[in-house]
Amino acid sequence: NNLRMANGPKVGVYNDDGTAELYVDCLCNMLSERSYTAVKLSADDVESGEWTKTYEGIVFPGGRDIPYHEKLQGRGNKHIRSFVEKGGWYLGFGAGGYYGSSKIAFCVGEPTMEIVADRELAFFPGLAIGPRYKGFRYSADTGERAVSISKPASLPADCEDSRGMIVFFDGGSYFSSTENDRPDNCTSLWEYDSKYDQATLTAVVGCRIGSGRAVLGGVHPAVGATDLEKDEWKYYEDHHRLNHRKSVIDILRKHDSDRKVVLDDIFAFLERK
């Protein structure tokens, strides 16, 4: 069933080669909770362009970004970019965050995993560099973490809840531009709390694109403890992996309201015209 909930404005959720089922399901549920109608879109659907006439936004989940590029380069990406420029919005977490940047630097120096490549959407005109935290391996889950992010000190905070929010992370990026090339249309919405070589790194970036908006995130605030618990059956044969997953779940459960604060902030940016 490609349709979730039948009332609110339609938002597409990309669901094709490279997308991870866990992230697709979490994003569909999150959108439904926010009174959107979540519709899963294949690469063919995106390339048709039909969705651009009636949809309010499009979401790209975590997974692997190379298959996204292989299927959507050219026509599909032109539809997405034009849709946003004309007033729609794009939201990408994990692979979807990498995909919305103009350049990716992933696992540099690791020959079997390294990706250094340009991407066409280029909502963020800088680099998506990752993983932000070490340990990531495809299908090994060693990179899963509960990480802390905060609103940048330079931004006015609506409440104390904007500091030290705990969210799920698995191989995502930080978003980097040079001092001389800071894009005026992009704002760091959330930063990783742990320093990296004394630097504060952007975890979630918001971009104003023509009449529309895009948000790219290296974290997965749509994923909660209960979502990861449903996924646990994969690990019953591997106690080490199961214990690692359980430790992440325990932390996320204690801080479940945090991810909702982050999502509220992201949608406040996306929905602002």
Side-chain angles (χ1 to χ4, degrees):
N1 181 8
N2 281 349
L3 199 64
R4 299 284 185 92
M5 199 180 144
N7 301 324
K10 286 182 182 176
V11 172
V13 178
Y14 188 62
N15 183 45
D16 208 302
D17 290 352
T19 57
E21 185 180 7
L22 168 69
Y23 296 131
V24 171
D25 288 347
C26 287
L27 289 166
C28 287
N29 292 336
M30 178 270 291
L31 289 165
S32 295
E33 287 168 5
R34 305 190 77 86
S35 300
Y36 286 106
T37 300
V39 187
K40 294 178 183 177
L41 296 179
S42 68
D44 287 344
D45 293 332
V46 173
E47 289 209 321
S48 77
E50 284 299 309
W51 59 279
T52 63
K53 300 170 186 173
T54 55
Y55 283 38
E56 193 157 303
I58 188 166
V59 183
F60 270 64
R64 297 172 186 244
D65 135 285
I66 287 178
Y68 302 0
H69 177 68
E70 288 172 343
K71 285 206 163 185
L72 296 173
Q73 61 184 309
R75 187 174 171 190
N77 286 334
K78 280 179 185 168
H79 279 310
I80 297 167
R81 177 85 197 189
S82 172
F83 168 73
V84 175
E85 288 173 349
K86 291 175 181 174
W89 53 256
Y90 173 101
L91 175 60
F93 293 128
Y98 286 105
Y99 193 61
S101 302
S102 65
K103 194 174 184 85
I104 295 169
F106 179 75
C107 286
V108 173
E110 298 186 41
T112 60
M113 296 174 66
E114 180 176 295
I115 304 169
V116 178
D118 295 328
R119 290 291 180 258
E120 292 177 341
L121 292 177
F123 295 127
F124 176 67
L127 268 166
I129 304 171
R132 164 64 184 89
Y133 297 99
K134 293 178 181 176
F136 178 80
R137 288 288 179 274
Y138 286 114
S139 70
D141 311 298
T142 50
E144 292 186 350
R145 295 173 181 235
V147 303
S148 177
I149 61 174
S150 292
K151 294 292 287 179
S154 58
L155 290 182
D158 292 334
C159 60
E160 292 179 10
D161 282 349
S162 60
R163 302 274 181 264
M165 300 289 99
I166 305 298
V167 291
F168 183 63
F169 172 92
D170 188 18
S173 65
Y174 63 93
F175 300 91
S176 176
S177 51
T178 64
E179 288 290 341
N180 301 327
D181 195 25
R182 285 263 154 78
D184 293 336
N185 66 318
C186 296
T187 305
S188 178
L189 299 179
W190 292 85
E191 295 173 340
Y192 293 104
D193 283 333
S194 51
K195 302 288 185 187
Y196 182 83
D197 292 340
Q198 306 306 307
T200 304
L201 303 180
T202 297
V204 181
V205 64
C207 307
R208 294 171 295 285
I209 309 293
S211 300
R213 296 192 170 217
V215 169
L216 314 178
V219 291
H220 292 282
V223 179
T226 53
D227 302 306
L228 293 175
E229 279 179 325
K230 289 177 198 164
D231 210 40
E232 271 188 356
W233 59 270
K234 296 177 182 174
Y235 307 101
Y236 289 150
E237 300 296 316
D238 187 332
H239 291 296
H240 178 72
R241 287 173 70 185
L242 184 60
N243 288 338
H244 176 71
R245 168 62 70 86
K246 282 185 180 298
S247 69
V248 173
I249 287 171
D250 287 344
I251 299 168
L252 290 175
R253 184 181 289 110
K254 288 174 193 162
H255 299 274
D256 193 57
S257 61
D258 288 10
R259 66 190 186 88
K260 290 163 186 170
V261 171
V262 175
L263 286 169
D264 284 348
D265 182 72
I266 286 170
F267 276 89
F269 180 88
L270 286 174
E271 293 166 351
R272 198 179 302 139
K273 297 298 181 193

